[in-house]
Amino acid sequence: MGHDSHKLSIFRGYLKFKSNQQKIWGVLVFLSIVTTIEVFLGIVKPEILMTPFLKTKILNWIFIILTLVKAYYIAWDFMHIRDELSGLKDAIVLPLIILIPYLVFIILLEGDYIFNIMQEGFVSWNF
Amino acid sequence: MEVTATENSENESLWGGAKKPFEATYGKMMMWFFIVSDALTFSGFLVSYAFSRFKNIDSWPIADEVFNHFPFLHGVEAPMYYVALMTFILIFSSVTMVLAVDAGHHMKQSKVAFYMFLTIIGGAIFVGSQAWEWKNFIKGEYGALETRGGQILQFQNLETGKRVSLEEFAFELPTDRSTHEKSKGLWYSNESTVSEITVSEVKAGFENNEDLVIRTEKLNSFGRKTVLSRENSLAKIESASQVVQGANLVHNEYGNRLFADFFFFITGFHGFHVFSGVVINIIIFFNVLIGTYERRGHYEMVEKVGLYWHFVDLVWVFVFTFFYLV
């Protein structure tokens, strides 16, 4: 590893830092802002975001997207994926972003199906 | 082979062990292998949690009602605040870890040691917080009745809408029921301590107190727990079969039994990762202090444990979302 081989800009180059240390603090500020937004929304739960959208509330989708954003910056800047060769980057990221959504999709579909069976079936679950 | 090798000297070094794949060292690559497989393990856990939640989507406990404690604020409903604090602590200890790695690249021994020390402190505070969270969860707050079908019945005041704990209204009735011991009966069966409050005491207290109603597990269309009328509550309490106070792997007063199981399992597995991370960090910290990496000429070991530590933080980001927010 070269000593100063870090890529020092985030947000696709909109935000550039002078040193790696500055970038670390910058990412911390960004992650803290995102977490604060999450906590704020989690406490206030604005009524307008409680409407259902794609099987769950809009608020939950916002939480999930913000989580993925945080995960991206932790992996890219704290775990230095940004500085790795694209081969290693792909070898790490591709298995995860292919397998996990696939697993989530089939398991949640199954869970929803079983919920419907228990709702509409003739078996009483409250004996 | 000989021919091609002599023809192209670059190929020779490619297979001779001089060139590192992806320009990463063996140790770093293996850490990444471990992290990818561990990430899949955690997604397996979180997805199975999601499965059970989707299966019981209309009766899952509401996280804000379960995790609402904050140190030194007794009886104050403070959902989210403590777990948000834990999240900030973990993110901050991730930052000090990155700073340690960065100082390592510049071969600054004392700075690496200082930042490693802060990381260890952050990790220790986080594990302690998780233990406190578990303590509150296991102890419970209000107590509830469990029906024969395994549903949880909680109690609240009809007018104020505030939850009421069993101790507040249960009658004390005389009883000869005592804890079963091996010496007094069947030698092959065991019984944990009999709850201080019996079902009949709760029933008697409930019938006596006109203000009380039952809230069931079922969620209404606003995502809140269904509250029964006084008449329906009196009918419903007849199906109660046992008193539940606090939580364990078999019963919990918060609602669906699976909720407690997944809480213990996933946060426990994550907490175990944090604990291991703290132990590994301490080992590396002492290695930094005695100058092992200074003599080795590089601080790559700090980078490798850093990867693990950030991964633990990354997992917490997801656990936080799916247990506390969504």
Side-chain angles (χ1 to χ4, degrees), chain B residues 138-145 153-156 163-173 194-199 201-206 208-209 212 243-246 253:
Chain B
I138 292 168
K139 202 171 128 235
E141 200 170 3
Y142 299 106
L145 289 183
L153 307 176
Q154 297 167 332
F155 298 93
Q156 74 172 42
R163 296 277 304 277
V164 181
S165 77
L166 297 184
E167 277 108 353
E168 280 177 48
F169 68 88
F171 267 161
E172 204 147 319
L173 298 175
V194 171
S195 173
E196 305 255 305
I197 305 170
T198 64
V199 176
E201 284 174 347
V202 175
K203 271 186 197 169
F206 183 77
N208 188 50
N209 195 333
L212 294 179
V243 175
V244 184
Q245 284 174 301
E253 63 167 58

Side-chain angles (χ1 to χ4, degrees), chain A residues 11 28-46 49 58-67 69-70, chain B residues 80-81 84-85 87-88 91 320-321 324-326:
Chain A
F11 303 139
L28 169 71
V29 169
F30 177 67
L31 290 180
S32 304
I33 292 171
V34 173
T35 309
T36 311
I37 294 172
E38 280 184 336
V39 172
F40 177 77
L41 288 177
I43 291 168
V44 176
K45 289 191 196 301
L49 297 176
I58 291 180
L59 185 64
N60 288 350
W61 281 110
I62 293 175
F63 286 145
I64 290 166
I65 290 164
L66 290 179
T67 302
V69 168
K70 277 199 314 192
Chain B
M80 295 285 306
Y81 292 99
L85 181 70
T87 307
F88 279 118
I91 289 178
F320 173 62
T321 301
Y324 297 93
L325 290 175
V326 170

